[in-house]
Amino acid sequence: MEDEPEREGRGETFSPDLMHAIFKHVWSRRTERGGGVDEAIEIEQPAPETSRRTRSTTANASALQVSCELLRMFVAEAVQRCAVIAEAEGTTIIEPTHLERVLPQLLLDF
């Protein structure tokens, strides 16, 4: 099996631009629903003169990189757990039912 630094060196991770687009989509949907943005997902504080309603939520580069790495690790762990179940069932194909079986514990572990 390959070492983690070798994988990262080849660029096998999610794009920070993709992660930023996902975050922006979620933030805009929350704004449209009138719920606003939770304090827990705000990453950078706006200038003091900006009002809460007009400021935009942004993410800095290091937060995006950490989010990409977390998502990569989550997906890799999900695939690995699904593969173990598929192998125990005597098949080499991972099916959606395998993901359904590992997802509850996986979400608790992360």
Side-chain angles (χ1 to χ4, degrees):
M1 186 165 238
E2 297 179 55
D3 294 323
E4 294 297 319
E6 289 178 19
R7 284 183 171 188
E8 290 177 17
R10 289 197 317 243
E12 290 185 17
T13 187
F14 292 93
S15 165
D17 293 334
L18 173 64
M19 192 61 60
H20 190 249
I22 291 169
F23 286 160
K24 286 184 80 166
H25 178 72
V26 170
W27 294 331
S28 67
R29 288 187 59 182
R30 285 187 180 185
T31 302
E32 289 171 3
R33 283 189 281 168
V37 178
D38 293 342
E39 292 293 325
I41 62 170
E42 286 190 23
I43 301 187
E44 293 181 347
Q45 296 296 325
E49 64 275 357
T50 308
S51 72
R52 182 162 178 84
R53 292 183 181 212
T54 60
R55 72 179 185 205
S56 63
T57 305
T58 61
N60 63 31
S62 62
L64 291 173
Q65 288 176 340
V66 170
S67 299
C68 290
E69 182 62 17
L70 180 64
L71 184 59
R72 186 195 65 78
M73 290 172 48
F74 182 82
V75 170
E77 184 67 22
V79 169
Q80 183 178 16
R81 291 183 188 195
C82 290
V84 168
I85 290 180
E87 185 178 323
E89 292 178 352
T91 183
T92 58
I93 299 173
I94 296 175
E95 298 177 2
T97 57
H98 298 134
L99 182 61
E100 290 171 359
R101 290 173 56 191
V102 301
L103 198 55
Q105 187 63 45
L106 182 64
L107 290 173
L108 289 172
D109 291 344
F110 268 79

